[in-house]
Amino acid sequence: MAAPALPITDRFQEVLERLSTKSIEDYYNPYQQFDWPDRLDEDRMWMSPELLTPYGTPLFDQLGEETLRRLSKWESINFYSLNVHGIRELLIEVVNRIHMPGFEIPSDFFHHFIGEENEHMWFFAEFCRRYGNKIYSSTAMRATSDWEPEVENFLVFARILFFEELVDFYNTHMAQDASLCDTIRQVNRLHHQDESRHIAFGRELVSLLHTRMRETISEERHAEVEAYLKRYVVFSINSLYNPHVYRDAGVADPLALRNALLADDRRRAIERKSVRKPLAFFLKTGIFTDDVLPVI
């Protein structure tokens, strides 16, 4: 995992200093920040309708308002559960690299990152346990290749960046949705506040790691890296289509609903909106040579 020093630029140094200062200035204690109500109103939506997985298909109207309200609760719990699992995995990877050779310069910001992500994991888990009495399980996508250290380091932070950008799309939307209750809006608003710093940091770090990686691998190996990262993008999107969620919402055939939605091309344009920013970044930096995603 050891690696040569990053090709640090003045811009990266400035970004690190600015974001570290902002982390200190914006710090809040999540254990005191939230005034958790005993229950949330189940006659209201728990997630913006446009973010629900059947949205944009005929099935959205066929499910009916009552089922959609139940679905919004459980898709909300699934979304926060995915955050719990995703944060746990990224924390493991970042902790493994803090103050390690090759990561000397960003390690000071890693301390802010680790502290904030640990607190995010806590309040997402707290939401799930309080209002869903569960955290949905999740499976991780495994690598199909033994990656070189330079590739592994790049992929770790590229995955983290994509995960944060996907989540932030949902956070931003729900934080601004006045139809949602104050608790849901607050959870999403506070997470977006911190993630905006993490995304800015992640873009700079991923660009530097990509530059360093390209110096050590062949074009053929880079094509394998691109293919893997594209599969991760699709895997992450597909994780939102959870048959256990559909079952909890009272759908008679959860697997049939999931399969129908995954097969419905009308969902692809909606999914593209949620990943537009990270895909544009991957294209701009040469990480992706095109924006064609695989079917998995």
Side-chain angles (χ1 to χ4, degrees), residues 51-127:
L51 301 180
L52 297 178
T53 54
Y55 184 78
T57 76
L59 290 166
F60 185 84
D61 293 325
Q62 293 172 18
L63 289 171
E65 291 186 9
E66 183 177 347
T67 299
L68 287 175
R69 280 197 300 271
R70 291 198 302 268
L71 182 63
S72 76
K73 170 183 176 176
W74 294 113
E75 290 214 341
S76 177
I77 298 296
N78 183 54
F79 174 64
Y80 303 131
S81 296
L82 290 171
N83 275 271
V84 171
H85 298 302
I87 291 169
R88 183 180 61 247
E89 295 305 315
L90 70 83
L91 281 174
I92 291 169
E93 298 290 1
V94 175
V95 167
N96 282 340
R97 287 165 173 79
I98 192 168
H99 296 298
M100 293 296 288
F103 293 99
E104 295 88 348
I105 299 300
S107 284
D108 280 346
F109 185 75
F110 281 167
H111 284 284
H112 295 291
F113 181 92
I114 290 166
E116 290 165 358
E117 290 295 353
N118 179 59
E119 291 170 348
H120 299 163
M121 182 166 56
W122 174 79
F123 65 64
F124 283 130
E126 188 71 6
F127 186 99

Coordinates of all heavy atoms in Angstrom, one line a residue, residues 51-127:
L51 N -37.5 10.7 -6.0 CA -36.3 9.9 -5.7 C -36.7 8.5 -5.5 O -35.8 7.6 -5.4 CB -35.6 10.4 -4.5 CG -35.1 11.9 -4.5 CD1 -34.5 12.3 -3.2 CD2 -34.2 12.1 -5.7
L52 N -38.0 8.1 -5.5 CA -38.4 6.8 -5.3 C -38.1 5.9 -6.5 O -38.2 6.4 -7.7 CB -39.9 6.7 -5.0 CG -40.4 7.4 -3.7 CD1 -41.9 7.2 -3.5 CD2 -39.6 6.8 -2.5
T53 N -37.7 4.7 -6.4 CA -37.3 3.9 -7.5 C -38.3 3.6 -8.6 O -38.0 3.4 -9.7 CB -36.7 2.5 -7.0 OG1 -37.7 1.9 -6.2 CG2 -35.4 2.7 -6.2
P54 N -39.7 3.6 -8.3 CA -40.6 3.4 -9.4 C -40.9 4.7 -10.1 O -41.7 4.7 -11.1 CB -41.9 2.9 -8.7 CG -41.5 2.5 -7.3 CD -40.3 3.4 -6.9
Y55 N -40.4 5.8 -9.7 CA -40.8 7.1 -10.3 C -40.4 7.1 -11.8 O -39.3 6.6 -12.2 CB -40.0 8.3 -9.6 CG -40.4 9.6 -10.1 CD1 -41.6 10.2 -9.7 CD2 -39.6 10.3 -11.0 CE1 -42.0 11.5 -10.2 CE2 -40.0 11.5 -11.5 CZ -41.2 12.1 -11.1 OH -41.5 13.4 -11.6
G56 N -41.3 7.7 -12.6 CA -41.0 7.8 -14.0 C -41.5 6.6 -14.8 O -41.3 6.5 -16.0
T57 N -42.1 5.6 -14.1 CA -42.6 4.4 -14.8 C -44.1 4.3 -14.5 O -44.6 4.8 -13.5 CB -41.9 3.1 -14.3 OG1 -42.3 2.8 -13.0 CG2 -40.4 3.3 -14.2
P58 N -44.8 3.5 -15.3 CA -46.2 3.3 -15.0 C -46.5 2.6 -13.6 O -47.6 2.8 -13.1 CB -46.7 2.3 -16.1 CG -45.7 2.5 -17.2 CD -44.4 2.8 -16.6
L59 N -45.5 1.9 -13.1 CA -45.7 1.3 -11.8 C -45.8 2.3 -10.7 O -46.4 2.0 -9.7 CB -44.5 0.4 -11.5 CG -44.4 -0.9 -12.4 CD1 -43.0 -1.5 -12.3 CD2 -45.5 -1.9 -12.0
F60 N -45.3 3.5 -10.9 CA -45.5 4.5 -9.8 C -46.9 4.8 -9.6 O -47.3 4.8 -8.4 CB -44.7 5.8 -10.3 CG -44.7 6.9 -9.3 CD1 -43.7 6.9 -8.3 CD2 -45.7 7.9 -9.3 CE1 -43.7 7.9 -7.3 CE2 -45.6 8.9 -8.3 CZ -44.7 8.9 -7.3
D61 N -47.7 5.0 -10.6 CA -49.2 5.2 -10.4 C -49.9 4.0 -10.0 O -50.9 4.0 -9.2 CB -49.7 5.8 -11.7 CG -49.2 7.2 -12.0 OD1 -49.0 8.0 -11.0 OD2 -49.0 7.6 -13.2
Q62 N -49.5 2.8 -10.5 CA -50.2 1.6 -10.2 C -50.1 1.2 -8.8 O -51.0 0.5 -8.2 CB -49.6 0.5 -11.1 CG -49.9 0.6 -12.6 CD -49.2 -0.4 -13.5 OE1 -48.7 -1.4 -13.0 NE2 -49.0 -0.1 -14.8
L63 N -49.0 1.6 -8.1 CA -48.8 1.2 -6.7 C -49.8 1.9 -5.8 O -50.2 1.4 -4.7 CB -47.4 1.5 -6.3 CG -46.3 0.6 -6.8 CD1 -44.9 1.1 -6.5 CD2 -46.5 -0.8 -6.3
G64 N -50.2 3.1 -6.1 CA -51.2 3.8 -5.3 C -50.6 4.6 -4.2 O -49.4 4.3 -3.8
E65 N -51.3 5.6 -3.7 CA -50.7 6.6 -2.8 C -50.3 5.9 -1.5 O -49.3 6.2 -0.9 CB -51.7 7.7 -2.5 CG -51.9 8.6 -3.7 CD -52.8 9.8 -3.4 OE1 -53.1 10.0 -2.1 OE2 -53.2 10.5 -4.3
E66 N -51.1 5.0 -0.9 CA -50.8 4.4 0.3 C -49.6 3.6 0.3 O -48.7 3.7 1.1 CB -52.0 3.5 0.8 CG -51.8 2.9 2.2 CD -53.0 2.1 2.7 OE1 -54.1 2.2 2.1 OE2 -52.8 1.4 3.6
T67 N -49.4 2.8 -0.8 CA -48.2 2.0 -0.9 C -47.0 2.8 -1.2 O -45.9 2.6 -0.6 CB -48.4 1.0 -2.1 OG1 -49.5 0.1 -1.9 CG2 -47.1 0.1 -2.3
L68 N -47.2 3.9 -1.9 CA -46.0 4.8 -2.2 C -45.6 5.5 -0.9 O -44.4 5.7 -0.7 CB -46.4 5.9 -3.2 CG -46.5 5.4 -4.6 CD1 -47.0 6.6 -5.5 CD2 -45.2 4.9 -5.1
R69 N -46.5 5.8 0.0 CA -46.1 6.4 1.3 C -45.3 5.4 2.1 O -44.3 5.7 2.7 CB -47.3 6.9 2.1 CG -47.9 8.2 1.7 CD -48.8 8.8 2.7 NE -49.9 8.0 3.0 CZ -51.1 8.0 2.3 NH1 -51.2 8.9 1.4 NH2 -52.1 7.2 2.7
R70 N -45.8 4.1 2.1 CA -45.0 3.1 2.8 C -43.7 2.9 2.2 O -42.6 2.7 2.9 CB -45.8 1.8 2.9 CG -47.1 1.8 3.7 CD -47.5 0.3 4.0 NE -47.8 -0.4 2.8 CZ -49.0 -0.5 2.2 NH1 -50.0 0.1 2.7 NH2 -49.1 -1.2 1.1
L71 N -43.7 2.9 0.8 CA -42.4 2.7 0.1 C -41.4 3.8 0.4 O -40.2 3.6 0.6 CB -42.7 2.7 -1.4 CG -41.5 2.4 -2.3 CD1 -40.9 1.1 -2.0 CD2 -41.9 2.6 -3.8
S72 N -42.0 5.1 0.6 CA -41.1 6.2 0.9 C -40.4 6.0 2.2 O -39.2 6.4 2.4 CB -41.8 7.5 0.8 OG -42.6 7.7 2.0
K73 N -41.1 5.4 3.2 CA -40.5 5.2 4.5 C -39.4 4.2 4.3 O -38.2 4.4 4.8 CB -41.5 4.6 5.5 CG -40.9 4.1 6.8 CD -42.0 3.5 7.7 CE -41.3 2.9 8.9 NZ -42.2 2.4 9.9
W74 N -39.6 3.0 3.7 CA -38.6 2.0 3.7 C -37.5 2.3 2.7 O -36.3 1.9 2.9 CB -39.3 0.6 3.4 CG -40.2 0.3 4.5 CD1 -41.5 0.2 4.5 CD2 -39.8 0.0 5.9 NE1 -42.0 -0.2 5.8 CE2 -40.9 -0.3 6.6 CE3 -38.5 -0.1 6.5 CZ2 -40.9 -0.6 8.0 CZ3 -38.5 -0.4 7.9 CH2 -39.6 -0.6 8.6
E75 N -37.8 3.0 1.6 CA -36.7 3.4 0.7 C -35.8 4.5 1.5 O -34.6 4.5 1.3 CB -37.2 4.0 -0.6 CG -37.8 2.9 -1.5 CD -37.5 3.1 -3.0 OE1 -37.2 4.3 -3.4 OE2 -37.7 2.2 -3.7
S76 N -36.4 5.3 2.3 CA -35.6 6.2 3.2 C -34.7 5.4 4.1 O -33.5 5.7 4.2 CB -36.6 7.1 4.0 OG -35.9 7.9 4.8
I77 N -35.2 4.4 4.8 CA -34.4 3.6 5.7 C -33.3 2.8 4.9 O -32.2 2.7 5.3 CB -35.3 2.5 6.4 CG1 -36.4 3.2 7.3 CG2 -34.5 1.6 7.2 CD1 -35.8 4.1 8.4
N78 N -33.6 2.4 3.7 CA -32.6 1.7 2.9 C -31.5 2.7 2.5 O -30.3 2.4 2.5 CB -33.3 1.1 1.6 CG -32.3 0.4 0.7 OD1 -31.6 -0.5 1.2 ND2 -32.2 0.7 -0.5
F79 N -31.9 3.9 2.1 CA -30.9 4.9 1.7 C -29.9 5.2 2.9 O -28.7 5.2 2.7 CB -31.6 6.2 1.3 CG -30.7 7.3 1.0 CD1 -29.8 7.3 -0.1 CD2 -30.8 8.5 1.7 CE1 -28.9 8.3 -0.4 CE2 -29.9 9.6 1.5 CZ -29.0 9.5 0.4
Y80 N -30.5 5.4 4.0 CA -29.6 5.7 5.2 C -28.8 4.4 5.6 O -27.7 4.6 6.1 CB -30.4 6.2 6.4 CG -31.2 7.4 6.0 CD1 -32.6 7.6 6.3 CD2 -30.6 8.5 5.3 CE1 -33.3 8.7 6.0 CE2 -31.3 9.6 5.0 CZ -32.7 9.7 5.3 OH -33.4 10.8 5.0
S81 N -29.4 3.3 5.4 CA -28.6 2.0 5.7 C -27.4 1.9 4.7 O -26.3 1.5 5.2 CB -29.5 0.8 5.5 OG -30.6 0.8 6.4
L82 N -27.6 2.2 3.5 CA -26.5 2.2 2.5 C -25.4 3.2 2.9 O -24.2 2.9 2.8 CB -27.0 2.5 1.1 CG -27.9 1.5 0.4 CD1 -28.5 2.0 -0.9 CD2 -27.1 0.2 0.2
N83 N -25.8 4.3 3.5 CA -24.9 5.2 4.0 C -24.1 4.7 5.2 O -22.9 4.8 5.2 CB -25.6 6.5 4.5 CG -25.8 7.5 3.3 OD1 -25.0 8.3 3.0 ND2 -26.9 7.4 2.7
V84 N -24.8 4.0 6.1 CA -24.1 3.3 7.2 C -23.0 2.4 6.7 O -21.8 2.4 7.1 CB -25.1 2.6 8.1 CG1 -24.3 1.8 9.2 CG2 -26.0 3.6 8.8
H85 N -23.4 1.5 5.8 CA -22.4 0.5 5.3 C -21.3 1.2 4.4 O -20.1 0.8 4.6 CB -23.2 -0.5 4.4 CG -24.2 -1.3 5.2 ND1 -23.9 -2.1 6.3 CD2 -25.5 -1.5 5.0 CE1 -25.0 -2.6 6.8 NE2 -26.0 -2.3 6.0
G86 N -21.7 2.1 3.6 CA -20.7 2.8 2.8 C -19.7 3.5 3.6 O -18.5 3.5 3.3
I87 N -20.2 4.2 4.6 CA -19.3 5.0 5.5 C -18.3 4.1 6.2 O -17.1 4.4 6.4 CB -20.1 5.9 6.4 CG1 -20.8 7.0 5.6 CG2 -19.2 6.5 7.5 CD1 -21.8 7.8 6.5
R88 N -18.9 3.0 6.7 CA -18.0 2.0 7.5 C -16.9 1.6 6.6 O -15.7 1.5 7.0 CB -18.8 0.8 8.0 CG -18.0 -0.1 8.8 CD -18.8 -1.3 9.3 NE -19.4 -2.1 8.2 CZ -20.7 -2.1 7.9 NH1 -21.5 -1.5 8.7 NH2 -21.1 -2.9 6.9
E89 N -17.2 1.2 5.3 CA -16.1 0.7 4.4 C -15.1 1.8 4.1 O -13.9 1.5 4.0 CB -16.8 0.2 3.2 CG -17.7 -1.0 3.4 CD -16.9 -2.2 4.1 OE1 -15.8 -2.5 3.7 OE2 -17.5 -2.8 5.0
L90 N -15.6 3.0 3.8 CA -14.6 4.1 3.5 C -13.8 4.5 4.7 O -12.6 4.8 4.5 CB -15.3 5.3 2.9 CG -16.2 6.2 3.7 CD1 -15.4 7.2 4.5 CD2 -17.3 6.9 2.8
L91 N -14.3 4.4 5.9 CA -13.5 4.7 7.1 C -12.4 3.7 7.2 O -11.2 4.1 7.6 CB -14.4 4.7 8.3 CG -15.2 5.9 8.6 CD1 -16.1 5.7 9.8 CD2 -14.4 7.1 8.8
I92 N -12.7 2.4 7.0 CA -11.6 1.4 7.1 C -10.5 1.7 6.1 O -9.3 1.7 6.5 CB -12.2 0.0 6.8 CG1 -13.2 -0.4 7.9 CG2 -11.1 -1.0 6.6 CD1 -14.0 -1.7 7.6
E93 N -10.8 2.1 4.9 CA -9.8 2.4 3.9 C -9.0 3.6 4.2 O -7.8 3.6 4.0 CB -10.5 2.5 2.5 CG -11.2 1.3 2.0 CD -10.3 0.1 1.6 OE1 -9.1 0.3 1.8 OE2 -10.8 -0.9 1.2
V94 N -9.7 4.7 4.7 CA -9.0 5.9 5.0 C -8.1 5.7 6.2 O -6.9 6.2 6.2 CB -9.9 7.1 5.1 CG1 -9.2 8.3 5.6 CG2 -10.7 7.3 3.8
V95 N -8.6 5.0 7.2 CA -7.8 4.8 8.4 C -6.5 4.0 8.1 O -5.4 4.2 8.6 CB -8.6 4.1 9.5 CG1 -7.7 3.5 10.6 CG2 -9.6 5.0 10.1
N96 N -6.6 3.1 7.1 CA -5.5 2.3 6.7 C -4.4 3.1 6.0 O -3.3 2.6 5.9 CB -6.0 1.1 5.8 CG -6.6 0.0 6.5 OD1 -6.4 -0.2 7.7 ND2 -7.4 -0.8 5.8
R97 N -4.8 4.3 5.6 CA -3.8 5.1 4.8 C -3.4 6.4 5.5 O -2.4 7.0 5.1 CB -4.5 5.5 3.4 CG -4.5 4.3 2.5 CD -5.5 4.5 1.3 NE -5.4 3.4 0.4 CZ -6.0 2.2 0.6 NH1 -6.8 2.0 1.7 NH2 -5.8 1.2 -0.3
I98 N -4.0 6.7 6.6 CA -3.6 8.0 7.3 C -2.2 7.9 7.8 O -1.8 6.9 8.4 CB -4.7 8.3 8.4 CG1 -4.4 9.7 8.9 CG2 -4.6 7.3 9.5 CD1 -5.6 10.2 9.8
H99 N -1.4 8.9 7.5 CA 0.0 9.0 7.9 C 0.8 7.8 7.4 O 1.8 7.5 8.0 CB 0.1 9.1 9.5 CG -0.5 10.3 10.0 ND1 -0.1 11.6 9.7 CD2 -1.6 10.5 10.9 CE1 -0.8 12.5 10.3 NE2 -1.7 11.9 11.1
M100 N 0.4 7.3 6.3 CA 1.2 6.2 5.6 C 2.0 6.9 4.5 O 1.6 7.9 4.0 CB 0.3 5.1 5.1 CG -0.4 4.3 6.2 SD 0.8 3.4 7.3 CE 1.3 2.1 6.1
P101 N 3.1 6.2 4.1 CA 3.9 6.8 3.0 C 3.0 7.0 1.7 O 2.2 6.2 1.3 CB 4.9 5.7 2.7 CG 5.1 5.0 4.0 CD 3.7 5.0 4.6
G102 N 3.1 8.2 1.2 CA 2.4 8.6 0.0 C 1.2 9.5 0.4 O 0.6 10.1 -0.5
F103 N 0.8 9.5 1.6 CA -0.4 10.2 2.1 C -0.1 11.2 3.2 O -0.9 11.6 4.0 CB -1.5 9.3 2.5 CG -2.1 8.4 1.4 CD1 -1.7 7.1 1.1 CD2 -3.0 9.0 0.5 CE1 -2.1 6.4 0.1 CE2 -3.5 8.2 -0.6 CZ -3.1 6.9 -0.8
E104 N 1.2 11.6 3.3 CA 1.6 12.5 4.4 C 0.9 13.8 4.3 O 0.4 14.3 5.4 CB 3.1 12.7 4.3 CG 4.0 11.5 4.5 CD 4.3 10.7 3.3 OE1 3.6 11.0 2.2 OE2 5.1 9.8 3.3
I105 N 0.8 14.4 3.2 CA 0.2 15.7 3.0 C -1.3 15.8 3.4 O -1.8 16.6 4.1 CB 0.4 16.3 1.6 CG1 2.0 16.5 1.4 CG2 -0.2 17.7 1.5 CD1 2.7 17.3 2.4
P106 N -2.1 14.9 2.8 CA -3.6 14.9 3.1 C -4.0 14.4 4.4 O -5.2 14.4 4.8 CB -4.2 14.1 1.9 CG -3.2 13.2 1.5 CD -1.9 13.9 1.7
S107 N -3.0 13.8 5.2 CA -3.4 13.1 6.4 C -4.0 14.0 7.5 O -4.9 13.6 8.3 CB -2.2 12.4 7.0 OG -2.0 11.2 6.3
D108 N -3.6 15.3 7.5 CA -4.2 16.2 8.5 C -5.7 16.4 8.2 O -6.6 16.4 9.1 CB -3.6 17.6 8.4 CG -2.3 17.6 9.2 OD1 -2.0 16.7 10.0 OD2 -1.5 18.6 9.0
F109 N -6.1 16.5 6.9 CA -7.5 16.6 6.5 C -8.2 15.2 6.8 O -9.4 15.2 7.1 CB -7.7 17.0 5.1 CG -9.2 17.2 4.8 CD1 -9.8 18.3 5.2 CD2 -9.9 16.3 4.0 CE1 -11.2 18.5 4.9 CE2 -11.2 16.5 3.7 CZ -11.9 17.6 4.2
F110 N -7.5 14.1 6.6 CA -8.1 12.8 6.9 C -8.7 12.8 8.3 O -9.7 12.1 8.5 CB -7.0 11.7 6.8 CG -6.7 11.3 5.3 CD1 -5.6 10.5 5.1 CD2 -7.5 11.7 4.3 CE1 -5.3 10.1 3.8 CE2 -7.3 11.3 3.0 CZ -6.2 10.5 2.7
H111 N -8.0 13.4 9.3 CA -8.5 13.5 10.6 C -9.9 14.1 10.7 O -10.8 13.6 11.4 CB -7.5 14.2 11.6 CG -6.3 13.4 11.9 ND1 -6.4 12.4 12.8 CD2 -5.0 13.5 11.5 CE1 -5.1 11.9 13.0 NE2 -4.3 12.5 12.1
H112 N -10.1 15.2 10.0 CA -11.4 15.8 10.0 C -12.4 14.9 9.3 O -13.5 14.7 9.7 CB -11.3 17.2 9.2 CG -10.5 18.2 9.9 ND1 -10.9 18.8 11.1 CD2 -9.3 18.8 9.5 CE1 -10.0 19.7 11.4 NE2 -9.0 19.7 10.5
F113 N -12.0 14.3 8.1 CA -12.8 13.4 7.3 C -13.3 12.3 8.2 O -14.5 11.9 8.2 CB -12.0 13.0 6.1 CG -12.7 12.0 5.2 CD1 -13.4 12.5 4.1 CD2 -12.7 10.7 5.4 CE1 -14.1 11.7 3.2 CE2 -13.4 9.8 4.5 CZ -14.0 10.3 3.4
I114 N -12.4 11.6 8.9 CA -12.7 10.4 9.7 C -13.7 10.8 10.8 O -14.7 10.1 11.0 CB -11.4 9.8 10.2 CG1 -10.6 9.1 9.1 CG2 -11.7 8.7 11.3 CD1 -9.2 8.8 9.5
G115 N -13.4 11.9 11.5 CA -14.3 12.3 12.6 C -15.7 12.6 12.1 O -16.7 12.2 12.7
E116 N -15.8 13.3 11.0 CA -17.1 13.7 10.4 C -17.9 12.5 9.9 O -19.1 12.3 10.1 CB -16.9 14.8 9.3 CG -16.5 16.1 9.9 CD -16.0 17.1 8.9 OE1 -15.9 16.7 7.7 OE2 -15.6 18.2 9.2
E117 N -17.1 11.6 9.2 CA -17.8 10.4 8.6 C -18.3 9.5 9.8 O -19.4 8.9 9.6 CB -16.9 9.7 7.7 CG -16.6 10.4 6.4 CD -17.9 10.6 5.5 OE1 -19.0 10.0 5.8 OE2 -17.8 11.3 4.5
N118 N -17.5 9.4 10.8 CA -18.0 8.6 11.9 C -19.3 9.1 12.5 O -20.2 8.4 12.9 CB -16.9 8.5 13.0 CG -17.3 7.7 14.2 OD1 -17.6 6.5 14.1 ND2 -17.3 8.4 15.4
E119 N -19.4 10.4 12.6 CA -20.6 11.0 13.2 C -21.8 10.9 12.2 O -22.9 10.7 12.6 CB -20.3 12.5 13.5 CG -19.4 12.6 14.7 CD -18.9 14.1 14.9 OE1 -19.1 14.9 14.0 OE2 -18.3 14.3 15.9
H120 N -21.5 11.0 10.9 CA -22.5 10.7 9.9 C -23.1 9.3 10.1 O -24.3 9.1 10.0 CB -22.0 10.9 8.5 CG -21.5 12.3 8.2 ND1 -20.7 12.5 7.1 CD2 -21.7 13.4 8.8 CE1 -20.4 13.8 7.1 NE2 -21.0 14.4 8.1
M121 N -22.2 8.3 10.2 CA -22.6 6.9 10.3 C -23.5 6.8 11.6 O -24.5 6.1 11.5 CB -21.4 6.0 10.4 CG -21.7 4.5 10.6 SD -20.3 3.4 10.3 CE -19.2 4.0 11.5
W122 N -23.1 7.5 12.6 CA -24.0 7.4 13.9 C -25.4 8.0 13.6 O -26.3 7.3 13.9 CB -23.3 8.2 15.0 CG -24.2 8.2 16.2 CD1 -24.4 7.3 17.1 CD2 -25.1 9.3 16.5 NE1 -25.4 7.6 18.0 CE2 -25.9 8.9 17.7 CE3 -25.4 10.6 16.0 CZ2 -26.8 9.7 18.3 CZ3 -26.4 11.4 16.6 CH2 -27.1 10.9 17.7
F123 N -25.5 9.2 13.0 CA -26.9 9.7 12.9 C -27.7 9.0 11.8 O -28.9 8.9 12.0 CB -26.9 11.2 12.8 CG -26.4 11.9 11.6 CD1 -26.9 11.8 10.4 CD2 -25.3 12.9 11.8 CE1 -26.4 12.5 9.3 CE2 -24.8 13.6 10.7 CZ -25.4 13.4 9.5
F124 N -27.1 8.4 10.8 CA -27.8 7.6 9.9 C -28.3 6.3 10.6 O -29.5 5.9 10.4 CB -27.0 7.3 8.6 CG -26.9 8.4 7.7 CD1 -25.6 8.8 7.2 CD2 -28.0 9.1 7.2 CE1 -25.5 9.8 6.2 CE2 -27.9 10.1 6.3 CZ -26.6 10.5 5.8
A125 N -27.4 5.7 11.3 CA -27.8 4.5 12.0 C -28.9 4.8 13.1 O -29.8 4.0 13.2 CB -26.6 3.8 12.7
E126 N -28.8 5.9 13.7 CA -29.8 6.3 14.7 C -31.1 6.5 14.1 O -32.2 6.0 14.6 CB -29.3 7.6 15.4 CG -30.2 8.0 16.6 CD -30.0 7.1 17.8 OE1 -29.1 6.2 17.8 OE2 -30.7 7.3 18.8
F127 N -31.2 7.1 12.9 CA -32.4 7.3 12.2 C -33.1 5.9 11.9 O -34.2 5.7 12.1 CB -32.2 8.1 10.9 CG -33.5 8.4 10.2 CD1 -34.1 9.7 10.3 CD2 -34.1 7.5 9.4 CE1 -35.2 10.0 9.7 CE2 -35.3 7.8 8.7 CZ -35.8 9.1 8.8

